[in-house]
């Protein structure tokens, strides 16, 4: 075979190879091959020629407004009771997954009352074990539980079988994601979040994000899955402070790859997803997930489809869902419903629930995933 120089970029070539690999993977999942997401960004399925394999089922999303966070969360779940119960009864235990991204900044974390709202919903419906489980990205998970007053929930709800779990202390398995050089790099994923016997309830606070545009139910679980600490190994010391071994950092080596890597992790842990309930009673805008500005929104969203829940919440925040890369990729991988025509809304209308949230000051990197990779000349086989 002869080879010739071409103006086709090295990145385009790598991208085409990646797209071919993705097609092979999705064929194994029973999904049709598809063009890369970048080429179809902003276009309808018909305009793209080859429809993306969006999840074919219809999803139900509950939207509730109110003046009490605990009651709001409970009512959002009651709104989809018929969707939750058939799945819940098949599971042996429930995992409540809050977001404890920065325990020293409670405004960035899942509020205690949001967890209590979920427990109120579960009380007459589920009598098995309930784990409040997290792998905090800052400090230690146990410290986060104390700082955020989660620890008192267990004593307040005796004799219910509720416990606090640091997910970093359990078993893990390894998958590969992409690093900044498009090389495979191993990431250890917490097995507990992939247990088919678990019913995972994602309870994030609705926030904008400086890397991923928004952090909602998908990102809350996906970024908890990689281990923070190596098993039985103390964090290394650097310049007088401990630096944790953190596989979470490997998920977002660049803005573009952050979206792709989150989709890879979501594919693996999807079977344990139970229900998403997003707390926007008081959300966050601008430079989330930690350094943003509080938003008085007074809304909660719930669905057994994490993708549909996040799409609806993004719209309620005044953000175009089509610009949120990890949600688009997850939808294209068949992990949930993204087509608004196939999402049934219950409760409030989107118009009634919408409140415009400010994105980070520099939004250009957030949309990097939508643009082509077209620099650096390379050599490709002659056609």
């Amino acid at each position: 075979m002869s080879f010739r120089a071409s103006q086709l970029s090295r990145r385009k070539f790598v991208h085409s190879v990646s797209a071919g690999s993705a097609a092979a993977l999705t064929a194994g999942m029973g999904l049709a091959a598809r063009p890369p997401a970048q080429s179809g960004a902003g276009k309808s399925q018909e305009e793209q020629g080859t429809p993306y394999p969006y999840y074919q089922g219809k999803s139900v999303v509950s939207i509730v407004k109110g003046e009490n966070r605990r009651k709001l969360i409970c009512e959002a779940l009651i709104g989809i009771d018929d969707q939750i119960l058939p799945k819940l009864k098949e599971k042996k235990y429930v995992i409540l997954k809050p977001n404890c991204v920065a325990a020293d900044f409670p405004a960035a974390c899942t509020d205690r009352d949001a967890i209590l709202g979920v427990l109120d919903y579960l009380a007459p419906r589920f009598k098995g074990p309930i784990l409040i489980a997290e792998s905090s990205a800052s400090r230690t998970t146990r410290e986060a539980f104390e700082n955020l007053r989660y620890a008192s929930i267990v004593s307040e709800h005796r004799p219910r079988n509720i416990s606090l779990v640091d997910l970093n202390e359990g078993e893990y398995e390894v998958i590969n994601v992409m690093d900044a050089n498009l090389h495979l790099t191993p990431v250890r994923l917490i097995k507990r979040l992939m247990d088919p016997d678990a019913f995972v309830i994602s309870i994030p606070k609705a926030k904008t994000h400086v890397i991923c545009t928004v952090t909602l139910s998908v990102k809350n679980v996906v970024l908890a899955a990689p281990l923070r600490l190596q098993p039985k190994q103390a964090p290394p010391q650097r310049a007088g402070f401990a630096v944790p071994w953190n596989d979470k950092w490997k998920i977002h080596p660049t803005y573009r790859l952050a979206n792709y890597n989150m989709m890879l992790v979501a594919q693996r842990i999807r079977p344990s997803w139970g229900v998403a309930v997003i707390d926007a009673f008081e959300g966050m805008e601008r430079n989330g997930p930690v350094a943003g500005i509080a938003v008085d929104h007074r809304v909660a969203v719930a669905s057994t489809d994490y993708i549909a829940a996040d799409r609806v919440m993004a719209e309620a925040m005044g953000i175009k869902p089509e610009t949120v890369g990890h949600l688009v990729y997850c939808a294209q991988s068949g992990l949930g419903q993204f087509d608004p025509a196939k999402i049934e809304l219950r409760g409030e209308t989107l118009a009634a629930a919408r409140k415009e949230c400010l994105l980070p000051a520099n939004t250009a990197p957030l949309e990097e995933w939508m643009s082509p990779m077209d620099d650096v000349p390379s050599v490709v086989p002659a056609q």
Side-chain angles (χ1 to χ4, degrees):
M1 180 183 292
S2 63
F3 290 81
R4 62 175 173 81
S6 171
Q7 293 304 307
L8 180 66
S9 74
R10 178 177 180 274
R11 289 187 179 180
K12 274 188 176 178
F13 178 65
V14 172
H15 178 64
S16 66
V17 172
S18 299
S21 300
L25 287 172
T26 54
M29 296 169 58
L31 303 176
R34 61 194 183 278
Q38 290 89 334
S39 65
K43 298 180 181 179
S44 69
Q45 294 186 41
E46 290 74 15
E47 290 172 327
Q48 293 161 25
T50 303
Y52 286 143
Y54 288 116
Y55 179 73
Q56 295 303 307
K58 192 163 186 175
S59 297
V60 179
V61 179
S62 168
I63 310 178
V64 179
K65 294 178 68 177
E67 297 302 318
N68 180 289
R69 175 184 269 121
R70 181 171 176 171
K71 184 178 179 182
L72 190 68
I73 294 296
C74 184
E75 289 180 348
L77 293 168
I78 290 173
I80 54 167
D81 199 42
D82 62 318
Q83 305 292 306
I84 297 173
L85 291 180
K87 297 182 178 182
L88 181 61
K89 70 180 183 181
E90 298 175 353
K91 302 296 183 176
K92 294 181 179 179
Y93 67 101
V94 169
I95 294 176
L96 306 187
K97 170 56 183 74
N99 184 333
C100 304
V101 62
D104 292 332
F105 299 93
C109 301
T110 299
D111 192 274
R112 182 177 183 274
D113 278 352
I115 296 175
L116 293 175
V118 177
L119 292 174
D120 290 343
Y121 169 78
L122 290 173
R125 297 171 175 85
F126 185 78
K127 303 304 180 183
I130 298 173
L131 313 183
I132 301 172
E134 173 64 305
S135 59
S136 179
S138 66
R139 302 184 64 160
T140 71
T141 301
R142 298 291 177 181
E143 287 178 310
F145 289 158
E146 290 294 335
N147 285 4
L148 298 169
R149 299 188 300 121
Y150 294 175
S152 62
I153 294 175
V154 176
S155 58
E156 291 173 8
H157 284 77
R158 289 194 177 100
R160 292 177 70 181
N161 189 359
I162 301 173
S163 58
L164 300 176
V165 173
D166 181 351
L167 292 170
N168 291 299
E169 297 171 357
E171 297 180 346
Y172 66 90
E173 70 175 51
V174 178
I175 71 165
N176 288 316
V177 297
M178 288 284 191
D179 69 11
N181 296 308
L182 299 185
H183 297 155
L184 294 181
T185 185
V187 169
R188 298 159 302 159
L189 298 185
I190 296 161
K191 280 191 174 182
R192 177 75 78 177
L193 290 174
M194 298 178 280
D195 187 349
D197 290 329
F199 187 83
V200 178
I201 302 180
S202 182
I203 319 172
K205 179 172 286 190
K207 300 181 291 185
T208 55
H209 197 282
V210 294
I211 295 176
C212 306
T213 309
V214 291
T215 172
L216 301 169
S217 64
V218 172
K219 186 175 177 297
N220 179 44
V221 175
V222 164
L223 263 293
L227 278 178
R228 180 172 186 263
L229 294 174
Q230 292 191 25
K232 299 180 181 179
Q233 186 169 359
Q237 299 294 316
R238 183 184 304 162
F241 61 90
V243 180
W245 296 105
N246 198 341
D247 279 8
K248 300 179 191 303
W249 296 335
K250 294 181 181 179
I251 301 298
H252 42 74
T254 69
Y255 286 92
R256 184 187 297 272
L257 286 172
N259 295 294
Y260 181 74
N261 285 341
M262 283 196 289
M263 178 271 293
L264 291 179
V265 176
Q267 284 182 321
R268 179 63 189 91
I269 64 176
R270 171 65 180 83
S272 67
W273 289 359
V275 62
V277 57
I278 306 170
D279 174 17
F281 184 78
E282 182 181 73
M284 181 179 287
E285 64 182 355
R286 275 298 190 194
N287 295 327
V290 176
I293 302 168
V295 176
D296 186 22
H297 202 158
R298 299 295 193 267
V299 167
V301 162
S303 179
T304 55
D305 180 343
Y306 281 32
I307 312 302
D310 285 6
R311 183 200 164 96
V312 170
M313 190 70 248
E315 289 195 78
M317 297 168 72
I319 296 167
K320 293 180 179 179
E322 295 81 5
T323 66
V324 184
H326 67 277
L327 292 186
V328 173
Y329 287 166
C330 284
Q332 290 168 4
S333 298
L335 302 184
Q337 187 55 262
F338 202 72
D339 183 353
K342 294 182 179 180
I343 297 177
E344 175 191 335
L345 298 182
R346 294 181 181 175
E348 300 288 341
T349 64
L350 260 175
R354 184 174 286 112
K355 186 161 191 172
E356 300 289 327
C357 292
L358 298 172
L359 288 172
N362 183 10
T363 59
L366 302 178
E367 299 180 0
E368 181 182 284
W369 69 275
M370 301 173 70
S371 63
M373 301 168 70
D374 59 358
D375 57 1
V376 190
S378 186
V379 174
V380 297
Q383 301 300 315

